[in-house]
Amino acid sequence: MKSRDYKAALAPMREELAAMARWAQATGQRIVVLFEGRDTAGKGGAIRAVSEKLNPRQCHIAALAKPTEAEQSQWYFQRYVRHLPSAGEIVLFDRSWYNRAGVEKVMGYADAPQVARFLEQAPTFEKMLVDDSILLFKYWLGTDQAQQEERLRERLDDPLKRWKLSPVDLAARGKYDAYTEAREAMLAATHTEWAPWTLVDFNDQKRGRLTLLRDLLDRLPDTRVAAPQIDFPPLGREPKVERYTVIEPIESFPSD
């Protein structure tokens, strides 16, 4: 999808996202969105599409590192619970508790009994969230292996994206089918009436973002809350120029 067409379609959705945030703040609603998918699928870009124009004090991104030794001894869901939203907040999980059913299972970081216990407990855990009036949305971003290979190569060649390329990403290249099997088992166990999964094709990332945003916005309740009226009277004098008496600003970057 061309960038011009993408930006034109995204602009009105961003206004709707701002309205969503205003509604959540006014009503105290709590919103949780999970972004799951293969490496390079486009989770980061999708999260930015949601969050970029929202107040970062209200819209939080939870991207957890690997668990510490202490966290490994806790109830599995415990470290995720502390990131759940308070009234009026939106939390976007860049990967979530579903790590256990995906990368931890495929890469051998969790054994079969741990994975089985997770798949049994996850629907109950999510029902507790939904029953407590949290709006929970779960998205899986899909991409074919040819696209995945192209994006991994791009990360390797681009020094600004090299940080995204981890040993786990490289090891996962030979486990595409294993990740597919793990995803299907996850969907079979956790696609519930109260917390359904939504699968989005992210082979075209721009189109995928628009698809995800449109679905998210369409599934929200009526979020129309009038923007507050703010008086902005004339200044009543000529604007003043910034001046300094103690320290001068550093030299500006050259224009040529």
Side-chain angles (χ1 to χ4, degrees), residues 64-84:
L64 278 61
K66 68 179 183 179
T68 64
E69 185 175 346
E71 288 172 333
Q72 291 175 17
S73 68
Q74 298 171 350
W75 175 49
Y76 176 73
F77 295 94
Q78 188 169 337
R79 74 188 192 117
Y80 295 99
V81 168
R82 65 175 64 103
H83 294 279
L84 293 174

Side-chain angles (χ1 to χ4, degrees), residues 144-251:
D144 297 336
Q145 193 167 26
Q147 286 290 344
Q148 187 180 49
E149 284 288 292
E150 182 178 329
R151 293 168 190 171
L152 287 171
R153 169 58 65 178
E154 182 183 0
R155 290 181 179 182
L156 180 64
D157 294 339
D158 186 344
L160 300 181
K161 295 183 178 181
R162 182 73 63 84
W163 65 271
K164 294 183 177 182
L165 193 60
S166 71
V168 175
D169 295 335
L170 297 176
R173 292 177 65 210
K175 298 180 181 292
Y176 189 90
D177 289 340
Y179 273 101
T180 298
E181 293 172 7
R183 182 199 63 213
E184 294 302 287
M186 177 193 76
L187 294 176
T190 63
H191 179 58
T192 60
E193 179 183 352
W194 54 89
W197 278 99
T198 301
L199 277 57
V200 185
D201 183 346
F202 260 70
N203 282 301
D204 179 336
Q205 291 183 329
K206 293 185 181 70
R207 194 177 301 278
R209 290 173 210 150
L210 296 175
T211 302
L212 189 154
L213 289 177
R214 186 69 269 156
D215 179 82
L216 173 64
L217 291 165
D218 287 347
R219 290 165 62 189
L220 288 166
D222 185 352
T223 59
R224 284 176 294 182
V225 173
Q229 295 295 320
I230 300 175
D231 291 332
F232 195 73
L235 186 60
R237 56 172 171 77
E238 288 296 316
K240 295 185 177 181
V241 177
E242 185 72 276
R243 56 187 296 270
Y244 309 89
T245 60
V246 179
I247 300 173
E248 291 294 320
I250 63 174
E251 186 176 349

